[in-house]
Amino acid sequence: RYYITATCVKGRSFKRKYDFTPTSGDIGTHVLTVTIHDDNDVLLDSKQVNLIVNAKANNPTSVKNVLAVGDSLTTNGEWVEELYKRLVTNDGLTNVKFIGTKKTASGAGYEGYGGWTLDRYLSNESTGTIIWVLATHDKDASDQKAIYKDTNNTQWEIETIEPSRLKMKRVSGSGAMPPSGTLIWLSGGTHTTTITFNGTESESNNPFWNEATNLVDFSNYATEQGVSSIDHTYILLGWNNTDTSETTYKNSNRIFINKIREGFPNGKITLIGLQVPDIDGMGINYGASWSYKEILKFVFEMNRWLKEVADEFVDVDFIHLSSQFDTEWNSQFAEYPVNARNPATIRTGINAVHPSIEGYYQIADAVYRNINHKI
């Protein structure tokens, strides 16, 4: 019932997207006009935006240290690895270094921990609420957020899925995870078999915490990483804050930014927004205990909050990820029966917020566009 038109002297307008892949001859600023009309040809809204095309970055004259911070969207380092490849391997920027206690296959450092929030990065709280269980299992992306109980009836939610271990987040009860045993399915997911585990591992402690001073200390962190500066920080957090108020969330971002600035006042900081979640993945992960309209509203609101916080600071900016992310095609999918009586299958999203590898590549692309003109 609505007609969206993208008009520009550059690029191409398609049914489901506007696409512009610039060449060196396109360097400069190009105006894109987006309009929306209803069935009666009434103009509902219109906006002009500037598409700014920059040349590829030259190798910096001195080493620029990049820090990526995140939650489960960063825990395995997929988008960090792709960003590293684009900058270092493809563009040949030898003076760009990715720092962090975790490493990708190419050696790029980063900090990403499933279930974490800004507040966890700002504290030295106990990690007993999030535990890795070591197990051979049949769980996949469709089992994200499924609930299990241990032998003490403490309830745990599957937070991160790896081939030989599962990260479990305590959601009910106060008991510690047993050192070994079984976890019985209660709700959510599609694979309901019992999880038998033979060991546990504690979640990592806050990498930015200085044990000597009991404070978050980025200067100390940089020293531990063997670098003298943190020049670019990219923060991708928010999916674990769906119950956080605007005031609280904005304040946590301000505190985190100021903590970085205490050690590195000239460092550039970028807040990365959230992508639109997959509606079928929401159903797979959360059953019917959610409202997609409310989740979508949350994404739009959090993106606004992050942009408003970024605007309060010098050299802090915001990446609007959802406008650069193709939820319709780059989420995780599987084939499901169209209904209980028909064996024909339909492509169905199986994870609300964790994308396919192509989705992680798109996150890297968005960050690449941002960092290219800063390096």
Side-chain angles (χ1 to χ4, degrees), residues 128 131-134 148-156 168 170 174-184 195-202:
I131 294 292
W132 289 96
V133 297
L134 310 181
Y148 286 74
K149 68 174 182 179
D150 62 26
T151 52
N152 299 318
N153 288 320
T154 300
Q155 295 184 17
W156 302 84
M168 311 298 295
R170 189 169 62 206
S174 58
M177 177 71 75
S180 62
T182 58
L183 296 170
I184 307 299
I195 299 170
T196 301
F197 62 102
N198 55 19
T200 62
E201 294 177 351
S202 297

Side-chain angles (χ1 to χ4, degrees), residues 44-114:
L44 301 179
D45 205 357
S46 177
K47 185 172 184 179
Q48 287 189 335
V49 295
N50 290 327
L51 303 180
I52 303 170
V53 180
N54 293 288
K56 279 190 175 183
N58 295 317
N59 198 40
T61 56
S62 60
V63 174
K64 301 297 182 182
N65 296 306
V66 180
L67 171 63
V69 181
D71 50 27
S72 57
L73 267 68
T74 306
T75 190
N76 290 324
E78 289 96 341
W79 71 265
V80 180
E81 172 78 341
E82 181 63 15
L83 177 63
Y84 175 88
K85 287 180 178 178
R86 292 203 63 178
L87 288 170
V88 178
T89 305
N90 297 348
D91 292 353
L93 305 186
T94 57
N95 272 346
V96 176
K97 180 179 180 179
F98 285 67
I99 64 172
T101 59
K102 302 183 74 172
K103 304 294 181 183
T104 69
S106 297
Y110 66 98
E111 306 294 349
Y113 306 93

Side-chain angles (χ1 to χ4, degrees), residues 258-274:
N258 285 323
K259 285 291 184 181
I260 298 173
R261 287 283 164 82
E262 285 177 5
F264 305 101
N266 297 321
K268 295 178 173 60
I269 301 169
T270 302
L271 309 178
I272 306 174
L274 302 183

Side-chain angles (χ1 to χ4, degrees), residues 329-362:
W329 285 95
N330 287 352
S331 299
Q332 296 190 52
F333 296 97
E335 294 293 321
Y336 274 70
V338 294
N339 59 56
R341 289 292 187 178
N342 191 326
T345 60
I346 188 171
R347 185 172 173 271
T348 304
I350 59 172
N351 196 282
V353 302
H354 300 88
S356 65
I357 190 62
E358 292 81 8
Y360 285 115
Y361 291 163
Q362 283 196 311

Side-chain angles (χ1 to χ4, degrees), residues 5-22 32 51:
T5 304
T7 306
C8 185
V9 296
K10 298 290 182 178
R12 298 173 294 181
S13 188
F14 295 105
K15 178 180 179 180
R16 57 183 299 272
K17 67 176 181 177
Y18 166 80
D19 179 84
F20 178 31
T21 304
L32 168 68
L51 303 180

